[in-house]
Amino acid sequence: MSAASRILNPALRSKIMSAEEAAALIPSGVNVGMSGFTGAGYPKAVPSALAKRIMDANVNGHKFRIGVWTGASTAPELDGALAMVDGIEMRLPYQSDPTCRKRINAGEMEYIDIHLSHVAQFVWGGFLGPLDVAVVEVAGVLEDGRLIPSSSVGNNKTWLDEADKVILEVNSWQNPALEGMHDIYYGTALPPLRKPIPILKSDDRIGDAYYRIDPKKIIAVVETDKADRNSPFSPPDVNSQKIAGHILDFLQHEVRKGRLPANLLPLQSGVGNVANAVMAGLQDGPFQNLTAYTEVLQDGMLELIKSGKLRCASATSFSLSPTALAELNADLPRFKDSIILRPQEISNHPEVIRRLGIIAMNGLIEADIYGNVNSTHIGGSAIMNGIGGSGDFAQRLHLHLHDAFHGERRQSFLHRAHGHPRGPHRTRRADHRHRTGSC
């Protein structure tokens, strides 16, 4: 299917232009909300064109910087390209780019390190200032102007709602069978109008399959045909397999004691090789009819769906290896009824996490014997990537398992809901400190 056939709305077809023309519509000094979550669904043409424009401005002696807001980490074509030309004034809420990290730690880039579930409501409340422009990748545009989400949702609904102007990238590389997989909830509100999130099970659908948008806000449409950034996972090594075995033994013990049901509680797994290896270890376990309520869907969960052990998985983004992604795209209708992609303010919502009683597995940088966990800073002051979504889950779940490297060994730590980790969490640009459960 060609990119042109993905844009079925005649008014929006008239706004098709090049990435360079679209980038020229973004002025210096604005805040830009961009799609993207763990290398999936990020805009792949406009950020690079904007970086070229910034570089040209720098050569001519003109400072050109913008605020960049995303769902989570993106890719070298976005974070890397803009950071390389010193084009980012302030970044939030999470990043994993080495150039961004270097500039943040050198004090050359402002960084707001906040829980992923907080970003949307901060924007709704105006706490971060105006959102001037949104640059969002979608998989297609319907005749009535509704937008088909791509391989991640993240904060895209909020960007489209709150931005003054919107630039769309319509990516024909994204599988058209993604249509219908998403659940975009439009029932959120600020206090005192806020209502409970009506999710009682991981596979509950409470929203729409499409983004809504006022077409008058769309100032440009850019056609692309580019793949997501997908990194391979290391095969599970002996230590990872041992950790998986210990976790399986523990979960079976909890089932025998009557503290967990036979099919456990919904699973959450953070990004990384070890968490993915633990998910893979569940293949050999006795548990059936599993469910997941998580941020990202990695290879291990996909394998559990294939084998029939995992009945459903709710997430906000894919984070798959190239091999797993090829398999997903080759047979996406097979997985469609088992996977739901939601906005991250719902996938990471503390109310829902507490209600469902999540069993979470995440990484850490360091921990002490009292259960204080640090997942954000090296040496107390140098940022690594950020708190991400681990804190959203750490304080509100049923069981929390942490994993870390120690020399040549990997170690695993367990926190129950009544003993969740608490530790200092510092945000740059803010003059306060607060405490958070992190992982």
Side-chain angles (χ1 to χ4, degrees), residues 115-118 295 348 350 353 388-396 437:
H115 301 293
L116 298 189
S117 68
H118 290 183
E295 294 176 311
N348 290 47
I353 293 168
S390 56
D392 292 323
F393 288 89
Q395 291 189 1
R396 291 101 186 173

Side-chain angles (χ1 to χ4, degrees), residues 142-159:
L142 300 182
E143 290 182 353
D144 60 7
R146 288 178 298 166
L147 310 176
I148 303 172
S150 68
S151 51
S152 72
V153 178
N155 285 314
N156 295 352
K157 168 193 165 290
T158 295
W159 301 163

Side-chain angles (χ1 to χ4, degrees), residues 166-179:
V166 174
I167 297 172
L168 297 179
E169 285 197 11
V170 182
N171 189 355
S172 62
W173 175 86
Q174 295 286 358
N175 195 322
L178 284 169
E179 184 175 0

Side-chain angles (χ1 to χ4, degrees), residues 42 54 99 142 158 162 172 250 256 258 264 295 299 315 372 376:
Y42 60 93
I54 292 172
T99 306
L142 300 182
T158 295
E162 299 296 325
S172 62
F250 169 74
R256 286 194 298 270
L264 305 180
E295 294 176 311
D299 292 22
N372 297 295
T376 59

